[in-house]
Amino acid sequence: MSDHTRLDGGLVLRTATPADLEQIVALSLAAHGDDEERGLRMFFADPRVGPSRWTVVVDGERVVSTLGLGSATARVQGLDVPAGWVEYVATDPAYQRRGLVRAQMDRVHTWSAQRGDLLQIIQGIYYFYRRFGYAYALRSAERVQLRRGAKAAVPDGWSVRAADAGDLDAVAALDARASAVADLSLVRSRDEWRAVLDGIHPQERSWVAVHDDRVRGYARTRARDDLRQLYEVAVDGLDAARALAGHAAADGDRAGVALCRRPGTPWDALLDDIAVAFEPSPSTDYARIADPVAFLAHLRPVLSERLAASPWAGDRGSLRVTTYVGGFRIDYAGGAVTAVEPAAPLEEPDDQNVGVPPDVLPQLLLGARYPRELERWHDDVVLGQQAGLVAALFPKLTHDAWFWF
Ligand SMILES: CC(C)(COP(=O)(O)OP(=O)(O)OC[C@H]1O[C@@H](n2cnc3c(N)ncnc32)[C@H](O)[C@@H]1OP(=O)(O)O)[C@@H](O)C(=O)NCCC(=O)NCCS
């Protein structure tokens, strides 16, 4: 068949078929653990994913490597950005370090670009995905823990119970309100919410805080990798936040529970009072922007808003950015970005131009860090005399990037 690609050693890369499912499950559970079975089958059954968005490498009839491409939507200051999302990456130990994941990544990145994704995202093991153009550009929530002696109890008249499918509307509305506070979030569809409330992973639970028979708060808990955490908390006020914190405190060893912040929400305000930092700090998730010109052209309305609110609102000019392997130019006039065009790479940006290497660029474009921070940490990030304009166009953003899976 046309999508079969021959690899070294007689191996073949191809799109998965429904008949591959049991082998994919066996390979993936051996790599990721038995707890992943429900999620994996769900991902494979998702009409937007498998099997036609799933790849396998086979040795004869045997599946020896696999991964799947899901879809996601990132929302940046109100603008939706279509994204591809790679999951369940695994290679049989006897076939590792032979480029099998690299070959499949190339395949799904092509699929993702063809369907119009401007971004790819992954939650994954350290470093590995940087080999494929990903950068640590999606900041996870900061974790804290209850301060010793802090009072945390479910307020009178409130209760916390396991969430169920009937809570979907209330939970989705609470979450939408919480995530709207952030500059960058991942949008969750109703189907994804349904899956979350049904339960994806045996170690995860969803909870609701109830008052007067109304759902006023939502949280998810997870016990995994020796870490118990309470995350995705969405509440309509401080009492709902107190109810969820009180419930978490009553649930065993309070010092061992990491509470994930959600900046700008009542939950966060409560944590300011009752919590202290939790170690280890959270990992950052990966993002890849293969075509910065297309990404920035899509983001033009947002860039224009930022520009219009900056001291450059009345100026006309062009910001040229070299990534050393490519580059782009952002033209602006009258408080609007008028064009984003490709530009030839420069080896050495001068004062008027900006240099950002490709493996740092997603951090800048997604506002993971202040541009000045990036310049301080990376010798090859050069902002020159354009530092102010870069900061205006690419401010550090608040991130609320919860993967539903
Ligand atoms: C991690 C894993 C998926 C890699 O699969 P693989 O088929 O060996 O990967 P590839 O050979 O395509 O690796 C691509 C490149 O990354 C390198 N690499 C492989 N494993 C790596 C790792 N764990 N960390 C860093 N680099 C790694 C390879 O050497 C190769 O480099 P090259 O392109 O310069 O030659 C595989 O080891 C595995 O299944 N591990 C257990 C499950 C797991 O951790 N999955 C990922 C969950 S997010």
Side-chain angles (χ1 to χ4, degrees):
M1 271 167 70
S2 60
D3 83 328
H4 288 211
T5 303
R6 296 211 160 279
L7 305 177
D8 288 348
L11 307 182
V12 172
L13 160 60
R14 61 168 170 78
T15 305
T17 69
D20 295 320
L21 176 59
E22 295 313 319
Q23 283 205 64
I24 290 175
V25 170
L27 175 61
S28 302
L29 299 196
H32 308 295
D34 289 347
D35 285 350
E36 299 297 331
E37 178 161 359
R38 188 175 161 85
L40 191 149
R41 288 187 186 276
M42 214 179 242
F43 201 68
F44 201 82
D46 183 333
R48 298 168 310 164
V49 191
S52 66
R53 288 285 170 263
W54 204 287
T55 57
V56 289
V57 175
V58 291
D59 187 354
E61 296 291 306
R62 185 165 158 224
V63 173
V64 297
S65 186
T66 188
L67 53 83
L69 174 72
S71 24
T73 302
R75 185 165 291 165
V76 182
Q77 292 175 313
L79 184 82
D80 285 356
V81 181
W85 160 44
V86 180
E87 258 295 346
Y88 293 113
V89 180
T91 299
D92 180 314
Y95 293 81
Q96 288 176 2
R97 307 259 174 182
R98 288 166 60 174
L100 304 190
V101 166
R102 183 176 288 285
Q104 293 171 93
M105 281 288 192
D106 287 349
R107 174 76 58 97
V108 298
H109 287 158
T110 303
W111 287 346
S112 186
Q114 281 170 348
R115 74 179 179 199
D117 294 341
L118 298 167
L119 187 68
Q120 285 84 33
I121 58 177
I122 292 190
Q123 283 187 307
I125 56 172
Y126 287 127
Y127 177 66
F128 182 54
Y129 296 100
R130 289 174 62 187
R131 313 289 301 242
F132 313 112
Y134 289 81
Y136 290 116
L138 292 177
R139 286 197 324 275
S140 314
E142 193 193 335
R143 291 177 190 146
V144 294
Q145 63 187 326
L146 286 180
R147 187 162 37 77
R148 193 186 292 269
K151 287 205 180 66
V154 179
D156 287 345
W158 287 78
S159 59
V160 174
R161 63 162 171 80
D164 60 41
D167 299 318
L168 194 148
D169 287 336
V171 167
L174 286 165
D175 180 76
R177 215 164 107 181
S179 73
V181 179
D183 297 318
L184 184 155
S185 59
L186 294 180
V187 182
R188 193 170 292 177
S189 69
R190 284 182 70 79
D191 282 348
E192 290 163 353
W193 270 116
R194 203 165 287 124
V196 168
L197 297 181
D198 263 5
I200 297 168
H201 193 280
Q203 309 277 13
E204 281 173 5
R205 300 272 180 281
S206 299
W207 305 92
V208 285
V210 179
H211 185 253
D212 277 347
D213 287 334
R214 275 186 52 221
V215 170
R216 311 271 301 271
Y218 157 80
R220 203 163 164 192
T221 54
R222 169 189 296 171
R224 208 195 275 189
D225 304 331
D226 295 331
L227 175 69
R228 292 198 305 134
Q229 65 176 3
L230 181 80
Y231 63 112
E232 277 184 11
V233 179
V235 291
D236 72 354
L238 278 171
D239 275 344
R242 288 189 186 104
L244 291 163
H247 185 256
D251 179 23
D253 167 21
R254 43 195 274 161
V257 183
L259 309 170
C260 294
R261 282 189 174 275
R262 209 158 184 194
T265 68
W267 169 247
D268 218 54
L270 177 72
L271 293 183
D272 281 341
D273 284 348
I274 64 170
V276 292
F278 182 91
E279 293 297 335
S281 57
S283 55
T284 305
D285 296 318
Y286 292 100
R288 173 179 179 272
I289 298 173
D291 184 349
V293 174
F295 176 86
L296 290 169
H298 182 76
L299 219 65
R300 260 174 59 188
V302 169
L303 298 176
S304 293
E305 272 179 34
R306 294 176 187 165
L307 191 77
S310 80
W312 286 266
D315 284 11
R316 165 187 295 274
S318 205
L319 176 72
R320 181 166 174 189
V321 177
T322 176
T323 62
Y324 306 105
V325 291
F328 53 87
R329 210 188 65 222
I330 299 175
D331 297 339
Y332 57 93
V337 167
T338 53
V340 181
E341 299 289 345
L346 302 169
E347 270 181 16
E348 187 91 25
D350 62 26
D351 266 358
Q352 295 310 312
N353 300 305
V354 169
V356 184
D359 54 349
V360 176
L361 192 66
Q363 296 191 323
L364 180 79
L365 302 192
L366 295 174
R369 307 277 175 203
Y370 293 107
R372 282 287 196 204
E373 271 181 280
L374 296 174
E375 187 179 46
R376 199 168 306 132
W377 293 345
H378 304 280
D379 284 351
D380 47 10
V381 172
V382 181
L383 304 180
Q385 289 180 11
Q386 305 282 16
L389 178 58
V390 173
L393 285 171
F394 302 108
K396 183 173 176 180
L397 303 179
T398 51
H399 285 191
D400 190 61
W402 307 99
F403 284 63
W404 64 278
F405 233 61

